[in-house]
């Protein structure tokens, strides 16, 4: 196996650095590297764009996150918090909630969950001018409360030092504070009364907002377990399949490019077009790199990972570290499969030799030679080997003798 890998790597680097078995000059190599980088960046950009063609689970179920947080909270003001989220942070937002949800469908595959559109419709009903004024008043009062609380913190800091000075018997005129302890306490009490009043006013406004018909309808909708269960199941299913959908679209983007590059490379090699063969080879490698990256990403977060995760969880319970053992076994197998693919379809010497012999080309460097040439005048490669049966000379790398038809052991080829 190691010999095959070493042979594969030698062929890989020879194809990447040579034109018709002649090494590239440094300037040409730098130019090709820049071309490779440019194309690779554009390939990854294209992959990123096509992976977003189908809407994500978050876009398909835009209400799921807020709805789930609401159901998990046990605070007394969670009703007000979810109602407040119906008011956009920006006043310049020209779209309603429902319209914002529908924007995800434009130019993309997939649909927004109807239940979430209904969720957005409830939010739009709450977001009316009268309720906006209530929220604005609450925010203004809350800002006053925050200012008074900060003032109290400053006063307490000064009050504590003034009280210490008084205990120590320090004269009033030598104090570092301009406000006496008595006056500081009086101001604190006054601020606390204002804070208490403002909080009570805010509580009344919040209750007023929650009592609105549009708010009560929305809260009733949120507390409907059947509605949330439908959204939750849909979101989990979409999250499970989304990595597979992304990989499918990314493969749809890459596989035609790989097929075209491979076809051009084989054609150029068969015709002896060295430069075209080199460039198409680099393109083939560049198109394969993102495919391998995306496959490994899929194995980490996609449906296969979830399937393995579920099986191990069921069989071994909390021993989830066993997933790493599975990947340690799985990834080398995938790598071996990739190497076998290249060996069979790209670096297959028998397939290359058959095409080259038919076109009177050297079986090694693919340059034009005469049928009477035993050695290639371009690379010096010997074209024949002795048949094990009839002992006549037959072509290297071809499976059968051209004289007696006996199968040839390719491992005895002269290199």
């Amino acid at each position: 196996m190691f010999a095959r890998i070493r042979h594969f790597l030698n062929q890989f680097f020879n194809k990447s650095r040579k034109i018709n078995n002649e090494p590239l000059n440094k300037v040409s190599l730098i130019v090709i590297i820049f071309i490779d980088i440019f194309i690779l960046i554009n390939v990854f950009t294209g992959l990123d764009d096509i992976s977003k063609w189908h809407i994500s689970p978050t876009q398909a179920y835009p209400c799921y996150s807020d709805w789930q947080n609401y159901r998990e909270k046990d605070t007394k003001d969670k009703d007000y918090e979810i109602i407040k989220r119906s008011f956009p942070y920006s006043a310049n937002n020209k779209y309603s909630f429902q319209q914002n949800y529908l924007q995800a469908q434009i130019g993309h595959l997939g649909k927004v969950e109807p239940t979430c559109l209904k969720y957005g419709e409830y939010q739009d009903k709450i977001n009316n001018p009268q309720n906006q004024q209530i929220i604005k008043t609450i925010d203004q009062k809350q800002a006053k409360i925050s200012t008074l609380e900060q003032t109290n913190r400053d006063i307490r800091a000064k009050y504590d030092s003034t009280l210490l000075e008084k205990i120590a018997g320090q004269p009033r005129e030598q104090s570092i504070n301009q406000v006496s302890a008595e006056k500081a306490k009086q101001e604190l009490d006054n601020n606390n009364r204002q804070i208490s009043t403002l909080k009570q006013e805010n509580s009344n406004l919040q209750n007023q907002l929650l009592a609105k018909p549009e708010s009560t309808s929305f809260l009733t909708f949120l507390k409907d377990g059947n509605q949330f269960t439908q959204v939750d199941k849909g979101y989990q299913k979409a999250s499970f399949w989304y990595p597979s959908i992304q990989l499918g679209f990314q493969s749809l983007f890459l596989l035609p490019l790989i097929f075209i590059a491979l076809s051009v490379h084989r054609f150029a090699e068969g015709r002896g077009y060295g430069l075209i063969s080199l460039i198409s080879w680099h393109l083939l490698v560049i198109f394969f790199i993102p495919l391998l990256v995306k496959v490994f990403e899929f194995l980490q977060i996609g449906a296969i990972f979830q399937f393995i995760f579920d099986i191990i969880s069921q069989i071994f319970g909390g021993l989830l570290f066993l997933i790493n053992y599975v990947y340690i076994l799985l990834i080398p197998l995938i790598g071996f499969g990739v190497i076998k693919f290249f060996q069979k379809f790209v670096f297959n010497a028998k397939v290359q030799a058959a095409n080259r012999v038919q076109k009177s080309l050297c079986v090694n460097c693919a340059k034009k030679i005469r049928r009477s040439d035993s050695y290639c005048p371009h690379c010096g490669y010997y074209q024949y080997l002795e048949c094990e049966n009839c002992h006549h000379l037959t072509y290297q790398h071809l499976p059968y003798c051209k004289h007696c038809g006996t199968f040839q052991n390719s491992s005895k080829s002269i290199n």
Side-chain angles (χ1 to χ4, degrees), residues 12-19 22-24 29 278 282:
F12 177 85
F13 287 114
N14 283 335
K15 277 180 170 287
S16 302
R17 299 181 300 196
K18 293 181 179 181
I19 298 178
E22 295 180 6
L24 280 173
L29 191 60
L278 177 70
H282 275 254

Side-chain angles (χ1 to χ4, degrees), residues 227-294:
Q227 297 277 11
F228 178 76
T229 300
Q230 180 184 346
V231 171
D232 183 52
K233 286 182 178 179
Y235 180 82
Q236 299 302 333
K237 184 179 179 181
S239 298
F240 179 83
W241 287 110
Y242 188 60
S244 305
I245 293 170
Q246 284 187 304
L247 181 64
F249 280 119
Q250 289 164 346
S251 300
L252 191 65
F253 177 84
L254 284 171
L255 290 178
L257 296 175
I258 291 172
F259 175 77
I260 292 170
L262 182 59
S263 301
V264 171
H265 178 69
R266 284 184 170 179
F267 174 79
E269 273 205 327
R271 292 295 182 91
Y273 301 150
L275 183 58
I276 296 175
S277 175
L278 177 70
I279 293 174
S280 60
W281 167 250
H282 275 254
L283 290 175
L284 186 61
V285 173
I286 286 170
F287 298 149
F288 254 103
I289 290 172
L291 183 62
L292 292 175
V293 170
K294 296 303 177 182

Side-chain angles (χ1 to χ4, degrees), residues 8-219:
F8 167 78
L9 291 175
N10 288 335
Q11 285 185 305
F12 177 85
F13 287 114
N14 283 335
K15 277 180 170 287
S16 302
R17 299 181 300 196
K18 293 181 179 181
I19 298 178
N20 295 332
N21 283 338
E22 295 180 6
L24 280 173
N25 59 68
K26 292 181 179 180
V27 175
S28 299
L29 191 60
I30 291 171
V31 170
I32 287 180
I33 289 172
F34 274 111
I35 293 173
D36 290 347
I37 293 171
F38 175 79
I39 293 174
L40 193 60
I41 291 171
N42 279 274
V43 168
F44 273 106
T45 303
L47 286 173
D48 183 61
D49 290 339
I50 200 169
S51 67
K52 297 174 183 175
W53 195 8
H54 194 284
I55 61 175
S56 68
T58 305
Q59 292 171 315
Y61 298 85
C63 62
Y64 175 76
S65 178
D66 287 345
W67 202 343
Q68 184 189 42
N69 290 338
Y70 171 77
R71 292 179 66 85
E72 290 177 351
K73 278 185 178 180
D74 55 3
T75 55
K76 63 178 183 180
D77 58 344
K78 72 173 190 176
D79 286 348
Y80 171 71
E81 289 177 3
I82 193 71
I83 292 294
K84 189 177 180 182
R85 292 187 68 85
S86 299
F87 300 94
Y89 296 108
S90 174
N92 297 324
N93 194 349
K94 60 181 180 179
Y95 295 115
S96 65
F97 280 96
Q98 196 176 55
Q99 287 173 332
N100 273 326
Y101 293 163
L102 288 169
Q103 287 293 309
Q105 295 182 179
I106 300 174
H108 296 275
L109 297 177
K111 297 290 183 181
V112 177
E113 168 62 29
T115 307
C116 284
L117 293 177
K118 193 174 181 181
Y119 182 101
E121 184 182 349
Y122 279 115
Q123 288 182 305
D124 291 331
K125 288 179 180 178
I126 293 171
N127 185 27
N128 58 54
Q130 187 180 1
N131 291 340
Q132 288 172 4
Q133 185 58 46
I134 293 174
I135 287 292
K136 185 177 180 181
T137 305
I138 291 173
D139 289 342
Q140 289 172 347
K141 290 181 183 295
Q142 188 58 48
K144 288 180 183 178
I145 291 171
S146 299
T147 302
L148 289 170
E149 287 176 341
Q150 181 59 48
T151 303
N152 281 357
R153 283 191 288 270
D154 295 338
I155 292 172
R156 284 194 187 95
K158 294 176 182 179
Y159 175 76
D160 291 343
S161 61
T162 303
L163 199 60
L164 288 173
E165 289 172 356
K166 189 174 182 180
I167 293 171
Q170 183 173 315
R172 179 73 186 86
E173 59 274 7
Q174 295 181 7
S175 175
I176 61 173
N177 296 316
Q178 298 178 354
V179 180
S180 64
E182 292 79 7
K183 189 174 181 180
K185 187 175 184 306
Q186 182 181 359
E187 191 171 350
L188 277 173
D189 292 340
N190 183 46
N191 287 347
N192 285 333
R193 283 193 295 272
Q194 290 187 57
I195 290 172
S196 179
T197 302
L198 289 169
K199 284 185 175 180
Q200 184 59 48
E201 290 173 356
N202 265 358
S203 178
N204 294 336
L205 287 171
Q206 289 175 11
N207 291 332
Q208 180 184 340
L209 182 62
L210 292 173
K212 293 292 184 82
E214 56 270 23
S215 298
T216 55
S217 298
F218 183 41
L219 293 173

